[in-house]
Amino acid sequence: MNALVAGFSLSLSLILAIGAQNAFVLKQGLKKHHVFMVCGICALSDAILIVAGVAGFGALIASFPAIESIASLGGAAFLIAYGSRSLISAFTAEHALDPAGDATASAWKTALACLAFTWLNPHVYLDTLVLIGSISTQYSDKLMFTAGAVAASLTFFFSLGYGARLLTPIFQQPRAWKMLDGLIALIMYAIAASLLLRVLDWGPG
């Protein structure tokens, strides 16, 4: 039971930080746009990475640091592009929150964007493969530790995606959408900058 609680607590503490992936899930939840699919992709991706980390693949990343650099460059490029799109939307688009959701949007494009936010983010690999993987060695019951970590990810993403609709009254106002788009753009640019600085070895760690 201790391993289960430890895995859940560690995973939840890592995932709670505001980031590009969480901002994307929040926005999809507010739009009621393929919410189950988006939450499922995020949770399943986390589960795969957590299991891999506990199984020992974190050592592979540590042995070949070039993998992290390549992922950082790809992630930064994607975040800059998506951030720019959000910034343009904040200044030009006329937003309206449709209570029925956005049924005409492409599930395929949404899924690809969700996968990109997850798999092009080097911080995800650091948190799951390296950090969770290394801490799991302290517990003899790795199965329970892994189950706790996966459960935390599942709980968080579905709570964020479906809990976002509680903010619907606020986002009935177009101004609120513009502010959200602006905030998302800032988050994307900040994370992209941190990734580039890490590649150039100007940042911490």
Side-chain angles (χ1 to χ4, degrees), residues 3 6 12 24 36 46 52 66 90 103 130 134 137 139 145 149-150 159-161 166 181 183-184 197 203-205:
L12 187 62
F24 179 75
F36 184 85
D46 259 17
V130 180
S134 62
T137 60
Y139 297 89
F145 181 89
V150 171
S159 295
L160 179 63
L166 298 175
D181 273 331
L183 177 61
I184 288 175
L197 289 174

Side-chain angles (χ1 to χ4, degrees), residues 16 18 20 22 157 160:
L16 276 174
I18 296 176
N22 292 351
F157 282 118
L160 179 63

Side-chain angles (χ1 to χ4, degrees), residues 12-159:
L12 187 62
S13 66
L14 292 173
I15 205 172
L16 276 174
I18 296 176
Q21 185 187 48
N22 292 351
F24 179 75
V25 175
L26 175 63
K27 187 170 184 178
Q28 298 306 116
L30 286 167
K31 295 170 64 177
K32 301 178 183 177
H33 180 188
H34 305 300
V35 181
F36 184 85
M37 179 188 70
V38 167
C39 295
I41 288 174
C42 291
L44 179 60
S45 297
D46 259 17
I48 292 172
L49 290 168
I50 288 169
V51 170
V54 174
F57 282 93
L60 179 65
I61 302 296
S63 300
F64 299 96
I67 295 176
E68 183 179 356
S69 296
I70 294 172
S72 293
L73 290 173
F78 173 77
L79 291 172
I80 290 171
Y82 195 94
S84 298
R85 177 176 147 187
S86 293
L87 187 63
I88 293 172
S89 177
F91 285 102
T92 62
E94 289 299 325
H95 299 279
L97 185 60
D98 180 4
D102 189 355
T104 63
S106 167
W108 176 245
K109 289 182 179 179
T110 303
L112 287 178
C114 188
L115 287 169
F117 276 118
T118 301
W119 293 92
L120 290 179
N121 180 7
H123 294 165
V124 170
Y125 297 98
L126 178 63
D127 289 347
T128 54
L129 290 179
V130 180
L131 190 54
I132 292 179
S134 62
I135 292 178
S136 70
T137 60
Q138 302 174 19
Y139 297 89
S140 57
D141 194 345
K142 289 186 173 57
L143 180 61
M144 292 301 290
F145 181 89
T146 303
V150 171
S153 176
L154 186 71
T155 301
F156 174 80
F157 282 118
F158 278 91
S159 295

